[in-house]
Amino acid sequence: MMYEPDPRRWKALAVSLTAGFMGLLDVSIVNVALPSMQAGLHASSGGIRWVVSGYALAFGLVLVTGGRLGDAFGRRNMFLGALAAFVLTSALAGAAPDETTLVLARLAQGVAAGMLTPQNTGLIQDLFRGAERGRAFGMFGAVVGISTAVGPILGGFIIAVFGGQDGWRWVFYVNVPIGVLAFVLALRLLPRSEKKQLKISSEIDFVGIALLAVAVLGVLLPVVDADQGGLTRWWWLFPVAVVFGVAFVRWEHSVVRRGRSPLLDTRLFTGTPGYATGAAVGALYFCGFAGIWLVFAMYFQQGLGYSPLQSGLSVTPFALGSAVSAAVAGRLVPRFGRRLTVTGLGMVAVGLLAVALIAELVPPSASGWAFALPLVFAGVGGGMVISPNTTLTLECVPVRLAGVAGGALQTGQRIGTAIGTAVLASVFGMVIGHGYPVALTVALSCAAVLTCGALALAIAELRARRHRAAEAERGAQEGEVSAADVHPS
């Protein structure tokens, strides 16, 4: 059957990316709002910390499940249901009367966002082909990077407009009108999926869901609670996570062998060129990248006494650089491929190390301006990482696995976000006694080391791609020679 593109596909993509932007934005937007939340609710520091970590935890736990459910029940149905839930839980978080209600609402909001996000990659696979698919994935990757970078700026602006006491509530309320509009437009623009007669017991891998949930929870829970002694108290969860992770992989192998529908098709990592390495690059990069925003917020607000808006504006250079380069990088993927991510990761590492050095050399009162140029440099590099890596990682994924592949990729990024945020915040807190500049220097140096780890993987994948291309060219030449022997001119 000849493929006929949906004439409304770009409008549908715009709607889906708007909804996805909200879910991803809520990972970082609350960082600058935490002092306002704590003051407004008279909350404990431990409880308020779960506003960030609980969201990332819930988000990461359900991403793969959300992708599989989208494959099974239809992307449009899952998208609409998850978007409605995200709008509702955003309203509940904004109206929370106490710390416990807010944390529970954020957990529920994280589940809704985790169900929503993988539908974006699945819709792109359904609606686009060829070069258009690369452009669409480039736009999705740009949304991932930009949403994380602009979160602190937007959060600071909202609190400045609505006041320090209750301004944090509007960080959540802003999702409501945008989400309602996106829902109405999605009803009109998203293509209807074919109705499938599903056998729940065979189509949905409940055992896989449970095994993966325990494995991910075992990794995330000790890390997100690290600065409160979580590594000491919850250390035993790490071996539990390993056991359940191995059990999950073995179970998924057996599900595939029996011809049933797995939660995560392990052939993605063994039979899809570049997927495993690309997913690892994304996860490790987010370990270093996502955690710097909380570190900067603590440095500027607690160390220098900046307002949330001033704190957000201080990292604007990174967001601007990332926004510009992400828009351009998505179009350059067919030409430069993995070289874009290698270059971008190198620029991020250099930029973060430059900020770490400047923090030690300039007076704290001048640091906001002094950081601007290296943050622009790092931001330009960051925009060259996420969008191309998303495109290159998913380019060989079969359409039938689109939702699961996108969900697994995002799961790695969310796990990286949770781990990176907890680790960098803990490092910052452990050396704060030596002064805020020293704490910032050490934390950013750790972020640069993590980024260099992602760089090493990206270089390895670049070499592997060149090897595959050389093998393919050699095979083509041998085929031409064989054909000439059979049919001499």
Side-chain angles (χ1 to χ4, degrees), residues 143-207:
V143 165
V144 174
I146 294 171
S147 62
T148 306
V150 304
I153 306 167
L154 185 57
F157 178 77
I158 290 173
I159 293 175
V161 171
F162 293 99
Q165 183 70 17
D166 289 320
W168 65 268
R169 297 185 183 276
W170 289 93
V171 169
F172 302 116
Y173 285 149
V174 71
N175 292 327
V176 176
I178 298 173
V180 169
L181 178 60
F183 186 92
V184 172
L185 292 174
L187 282 173
R188 296 180 53 191
L189 296 172
L190 294 189
R192 293 185 178 275
S193 306
E194 294 182 7
K195 292 184 178 180
K196 299 173 65 177
Q197 297 296 323
L198 293 175
K199 295 180 180 179
I200 298 297
S201 60
S202 61
E203 289 282 353
I204 305 300
D205 180 13
F206 290 108
V207 174

Side-chain angles (χ1 to χ4, degrees), residues 45-61:
S45 59
I48 212 69
R49 187 182 61 256
W50 275 95
V51 174
V52 177
S53 57
Y55 183 86
L57 177 65
F59 202 138
L61 280 174

Side-chain angles (χ1 to χ4, degrees), residues 95-108:
D98 53 51
E99 169 188 325
T100 302
T101 304
L102 177 60
V103 172
L104 292 175
R106 281 287 282 176
L107 289 170

Side-chain angles (χ1 to χ4, degrees), residues 239-259:
V240 170
V242 172
V243 171
F244 276 82
V246 171
F248 171 73
V249 173
R250 294 176 64 87
W251 172 260
E252 296 304 288
H253 275 307
S254 70
V255 171
V256 171
R257 285 198 304 268
R258 287 177 294 176

Side-chain angles (χ1 to χ4, degrees), residues 1-42:
M1 181 182 296
M2 183 177 295
Y3 166 70
E4 295 183 3
D6 190 322
R8 300 180 297 179
R9 61 193 181 281
W10 291 107
K11 293 181 180 178
L13 177 65
V15 173
S16 70
L17 291 184
T18 299
F21 179 83
M22 290 192 302
L24 294 165
L25 182 72
D26 269 50
V27 176
S28 63
I29 193 173
V30 298
N31 285 331
V32 297
L34 290 181
S36 176
M37 291 179 193
Q38 190 168 357
L41 293 178
H42 305 289

